[in-house]
Amino acid sequence: MENYIEKIQIRKSNKLAGLYPSTKALIVLMYAVCTFIVNTIEVTDIGLPLFLIPQFLVILILCKASGVLGRCIKALNTVAVVALIILLVQTFLVPGGDLIWRFGILRIYERGLRTAVSLSFLIMNIAGIFVWLFQTTENKEISRALEDSGMNYKAAYVFTSTLQMIEILGRNSKTIMNAQKARGVETEGNLIVRAKAFFPSLVPLILGAVISSEERVLTLEARGFTMQGPKTHLFELKKSGWEGKAAAASVLITVLLLAGRIMLWLL
Amino acid sequence: MQTNKGKGERKMQEKKYSIKTDFSMLAILIIPISVAVNFVGGQLASILKLPMYLDTIGTIFAGMLCGPWVGAVAGGLTNVVTGIANPVNFAFIPVNILAGLVTGFLARKKMFNVWWKWIISMILMAVVAVVSSAPIVVLVYGGVTGSGTSLITAAAMAAGANIWAAFFGTEGIFQLLDRVISFIICRLVIQVIPPRTLVKFGCGMNYIKEKDKK
Amino acid sequence: MAVVIECKDVTYYYPLTEKPAVEDLNLKIESGKFYGVVGENGAGKTTFCALLRGFAPGFYKGELKGEVLVEGKKTIEYGGELSAKIGYVFQNPFTQISGVKDTVFEEVAYGLENFGVPVEEIERRVIEVMKMTDIEALAEKNPFDLSGGQMQRVALASVIVLEPDILIIDEPTSQLDPEGTESVFRIIKALKDRKKTIILVEHKIDLIAEYADEVLVFEKGHLIKSGDKEKILSDISLLDRGVSLPQVAILGAKLKEKGFPLRKIPVTEDQAVRMIRESLKEGKQDA
């Protein structure tokens, strides 16, 4: 007999990647707190929060240790683009404070540089820790964890179903778009022509989905969706065994950092 | 001022609407569809190279059909899901929640029934979108997020415009266009949903009477 | 036999309509019998199914007069637990998917998870049902990647696994090819052999003639005829009312009209062959 239940489970050999989702959430929270603390430590003559830059190494190390560095870097690229644009725009376009540097029409002012460094690396760090969370956690684990944490089963359904629906409607929209092209709907040309193509592609898609959701309600009712009483789950969340250590470490580091920051103020 | 108005509305409507009945089984199934429509709309807009995002069509649809709370959930969830791929989107969760809320309250007030009400509604929706995203874009991202329109904002800033003025000017026009197209799509779909189906949605009745009048 | 569902003076209006979709319906469904439901499109067959399951007025809203009782209790007084008593399968295979599962195995197991059945028992029951419905080879496929026929079998399996005593099956084959239709009917036959109470809406009248015990005929919202399938399906007058009858019944009637000595009008092919052979034999003996 095939062991179907075993095949559904997610097994991770990496102890960090395999941490329980709620532990990972705690780490994310602590890391965000740390980031804001580090942001207040200003160095150099003009008070740049430069420590945010080496702090980002922690993300890379964490991703590497969790065995997902490649995937994380891919996801971080989109974040990096945003951060870079912010860095450039803020550096060169925001006036205020002393003029630090000038070359032709390019000028850098003190205030612009400070917000540039602070904003872009805050974003890199905070987005980075979320990237780690989502690259080491599968959607199935997230929705199961949501349900375990006391969230209504209907809410958990909405979350899981949303991820599937995005895939299905994405697929359907391609089918409809191709059909419309075959029927002679122009998808290239001037703006008006292209805007017109938007409607026949989208309206049938939404309509079809809404109409079929009626029958899906009946399907769910027939499968006991609204049945009272506890539900069982074929998919079980596993602990990796490092939960205690990881939680303690993240809290400890945050507390120490906070203490250090307060000491600096007092001195 | 706006929150006061919102509270008043709720009080008036209390007999007719409740959050519990708002989230009927059908409404629960509309939420995933709405989020997916937001995705597909955005993708389609970029495939067709339209100068707008068009990524709130689903949120507006949910608000128009199922009321403010379902609209808000659809909006918020969209950014949660896109945030999984690109966490920068988390910051805009409140903007989309607000878009769903406002559309839903307008729907309850039957503000989508007559053409002159449409215009008021669309302007209101665009204003809310710009006003609610402005503080996030300016304070969290310093005015630019790396999207197409934000480059125009950056250019305006380079020309010496104030960061807030630059944002409102460029974003306003595009948001209004965005809402107009989104609204027309939703209205077209609602127009062809059979009345028998429409009545099962929280605000569905509001669109049926008008159909019968015709 | 025990009555499991009873309709008492049932009249039902969909919302926004002034004409009832079903009117003055009185009927008793008995345990272990197979009911074939026939009639033209819009005659009220699907509404009838929805009424028995409580979806009308529970989901469709509208107005219900009279009572529909399942095991003596009104459908409107049931909550989600009616899903344990009545299985429901309908036309469109593509909408009968939970939308939250990645594999056929999990899809079939979904109802049992909702029922809170222990995991080991789920596995045993799902495998058993997958064998019965011939979908074990699909167990690890994504439900959205299946063909219509495969999906309809998965939909049936997902309901059968809940082991309801009553099954309502509304035109399960109308969107399927002949091969898909055959596979679905193999499953329905297996259910009949297990003595389930089955209410089947089906346009393919020969299949009704073969499997049903009783036939219910709907016309314009009214139950115009009900009773033993041989009695109903051999009633040639129904042809004039837009009800299709088995080809062999029409043949039998024509033969009888022409003076061929048939004992009665056959409704299935087997019957027809047997009866005609008997008559021919008798004819020879007489001569």
Side-chain angles (χ1 to χ4, degrees), chain A residues 75-76 78-79 81-82 85-86 89-90 93-94 119 123 126-128 130-131 134-135 139 142 154-155 157-159 161-163 165-167 169-171 173-174 177 186-188 191 194-199 201-207 209-218 220-221 225-226, chain B residues 23 25-26 28-33 35-37 39-45 47-52 54 57 61 65 73 77 80-81 83-88 90 138-147 150-151 154-155 157-158 163 181 184-186 188-190 192-194 196-197 200-201:
Chain A
L76 280 168
T78 46
V79 180
V81 170
V82 175
I85 292 174
I86 291 170
V89 169
Q90 296 294 318
L93 296 182
V94 178
L119 265 184
I123 288 172
I126 296 199
F130 275 106
V131 165
F134 293 123
Q135 292 301 325
N139 295 330
I142 299 175
K154 288 180 180 171
Y157 175 90
V158 167
F159 179 77
S161 171
T162 296
L163 299 170
M165 196 53 79
I166 289 170
E167 205 186 309
L169 283 200
R171 230 192 275 178
S173 82
K174 278 189 198 100
M177 183 114 153
E186 301 269 353
T187 55
E188 270 153 59
L191 185 61
R194 282 180 280 135
K196 269 191 197 153
F198 193 73
F199 295 90
S201 308
L202 210 54
V203 171
L205 182 80
I206 306 177
L207 187 67
V210 171
I211 301 286
S212 68
S213 67
E214 255 197 300
E215 284 190 346
R216 181 143 308 143
V217 172
L218 303 186
L220 288 178
E221 291 285 358
F225 184 72
T226 52
Chain B
F23 285 92
M25 277 295 284
L26 204 50
I28 284 175
L29 292 187
I30 288 298
I31 296 170
I33 292 174
V35 177
V37 167
F39 260 76
V40 174
Q43 269 173 10
L44 217 53
I47 290 174
L48 293 171
K49 301 186 200 80
L50 302 180
M52 284 147 283
L54 295 169
I57 298 174
F61 184 73
L65 213 49
V73 171
L77 186 60
V80 169
V81 173
I84 290 177
N86 182 2
V88 172
F90 284 136
V138 173
L139 298 177
V140 180
Y141 297 102
V144 285
T145 55
S147 64
S150 74
L151 291 178
M157 277 163 67
I163 189 169
I181 295 186
I184 292 174
I185 299 238
C186 296
L188 283 173
V189 174
I190 290 173
V192 278
I193 296 178
R196 207 205 233 190
T197 305
K200 295 185 204 117
F201 292 97

Side-chain angles (χ1 to χ4, degrees), chain A residues 7 157 164 215 223 232 234, chain C residues 95 98 101 107 113 117:
Chain A
K7 280 184 189 164
Y157 175 90
Q164 260 202 12
E215 284 190 346
R223 309 267 173 93
T232 44
L234 294 183
Chain C
T95 56
S98 67
K101 296 296 179 183
E107 179 68 28
E113 289 183 301
V117 174

Side-chain angles (χ1 to χ4, degrees), chain A residues 38-39 41-44 47-55 117 121:
Chain A
V38 171
N39 187 41
I41 307 174
E42 293 169 345
V43 290
T44 72
L48 298 177
L50 284 182
F51 285 118
L52 283 174
I53 302 170
Q55 193 204 337
V117 172
F121 282 94

Side-chain angles (χ1 to χ4, degrees), chain C residues 38 55 261:
Chain C
V38 299
F55 287 150

Side-chain angles (χ1 to χ4, degrees), chain A residues 59-256:
Chain A
I59 300 283
L60 297 178
I61 293 167
L62 192 58
C63 291
K64 176 76 183 148
S66 307
V68 288
L69 188 61
R71 275 154 63 191
C72 286
I73 287 190
K74 234 177 167 181
L76 280 168
N77 274 343
T78 46
V79 180
V81 170
V82 175
L84 186 69
I85 292 174
I86 291 170
L87 186 73
L88 292 176
V89 169
Q90 296 294 318
T91 307
F92 292 110
L93 296 182
V94 178
D98 294 336
L99 182 67
I100 302 171
W101 183 83
R102 100 189 254 185
F103 179 80
I105 55 160
L106 292 176
R107 277 148 226 260
I108 298 178
Y109 291 94
E110 194 186 306
R111 207 172 67 111
L113 191 61
R114 201 182 310 136
T115 39
V117 172
S118 166
L119 265 184
S120 54
F121 282 94
L122 268 179
I123 288 172
M124 282 301 278
N125 273 299
I126 296 199
I129 194 69
F130 275 106
V131 165
W132 169 77
L133 168 67
F134 293 123
Q135 292 301 325
T136 57
T137 315
E138 289 191 31
N139 295 330
K140 211 152 106 176
E141 295 176 281
I142 299 175
S143 68
R144 187 78 176 78
L146 288 176
E147 216 172 328
D148 277 358
S149 66
M151 201 180 195
N152 185 294
Y153 69 94
K154 288 180 180 171
Y157 175 90
V158 167
F159 179 77
T160 316
S161 171
T162 296
L163 299 170
Q164 260 202 12
M165 196 53 79
I166 289 170
E167 205 186 309
I168 309 268
L169 283 200
R171 230 192 275 178
N172 291 356
S173 82
K174 278 189 198 100
T175 317
I176 291 179
M177 183 114 153
N178 288 337
Q180 299 291 11
K181 266 189 203 164
R183 281 181 47 202
V185 173
E186 301 269 353
T187 55
E188 270 153 59
N190 68 37
L191 185 61
I192 307 283
V193 171
R194 282 180 280 135
K196 269 191 197 153
F198 193 73
F199 295 90
S201 308
L202 210 54
V203 171
L205 182 80
I206 306 177
L207 187 67
V210 171
I211 301 286
S212 68
S213 67
E214 255 197 300
E215 284 190 346
R216 181 143 308 143
V217 172
L218 303 186
T219 301
L220 288 178
E221 291 285 358
R223 309 267 173 93
F225 184 72
T226 52
M227 192 88 161
Q228 300 294 316
K231 298 174 188 288
T232 44
H233 298 276
L234 294 183
F235 172 65
E236 278 306 322
L237 278 179
K238 292 276 185 311
K239 294 193 170 173
S240 77
W242 281 18
E243 279 74 16
K245 280 184 245 170
S250 63
V251 172
L252 189 69
I253 292 171
T254 311
V255 170
L256 286 178

Side-chain angles (χ1 to χ4, degrees), chain B residues 46-135:
Chain B
S46 78
I47 290 174
L48 293 171
K49 301 186 200 80
L50 302 180
M52 284 147 283
Y53 301 121
L54 295 169
D55 58 357
T56 33
I57 298 174
T59 308
I60 291 172
F61 184 73
M64 280 176 78
L65 213 49
C66 307
W69 309 113
V70 176
V73 171
L77 186 60
T78 302
N79 278 46
V80 169
V81 173
T82 54
I84 290 177
N86 182 2
V88 172
N89 290 324
F90 284 136
F92 290 97
I93 289 176
V95 178
N96 257 339
I97 289 181
L98 209 58
L101 277 178
V102 169
T103 315
F105 280 120
L106 287 170
R108 280 190 181 175
K109 282 282 175 190
K110 300 186 183 173
M111 284 297 287
F112 294 114
N113 294 26
V114 200
W115 66 268
W116 60 267
K117 284 188 182 173
W118 293 1
I119 296 174
I120 299 175
S121 301
M122 280 186 273
I123 293 175
L124 200 63
M125 282 153 71
V127 167
V128 169
V130 178
V131 170
S132 62
S133 58

Side-chain angles (χ1 to χ4, degrees), chain C residues 120-186:
Chain C
E120 309 76 52
E121 193 187 331
I122 291 183
E123 182 166 39
R124 187 179 54 72
R125 277 165 72 172
V126 171
I127 291 176
E128 195 186 299
V129 167
M130 286 198 307
K131 287 205 170 97
M132 176 204 169
T133 52
D134 195 22
I135 55 170
E136 216 188 349
L138 311 172
E140 287 170 58
K141 280 201 160 187
N142 188 319
F144 284 98
D145 292 335
L146 303 179
S147 72
Q150 291 171 331
M151 262 189 189
Q152 195 60 284
R153 288 202 317 263
V154 171
L156 272 161
S158 307
V159 163
I160 294 168
V161 79
L162 304 174
E163 296 175 358
D165 290 326
I166 309 164
L167 277 131
I168 299 175
I169 311 174
D170 185 4
E171 297 196 41
T173 64
S174 66
Q175 301 185 12
L176 304 186
D177 57 14
E179 204 182 325
T181 304
E182 210 194 305
S183 65
V184 165
F185 265 87
R186 266 203 300 275

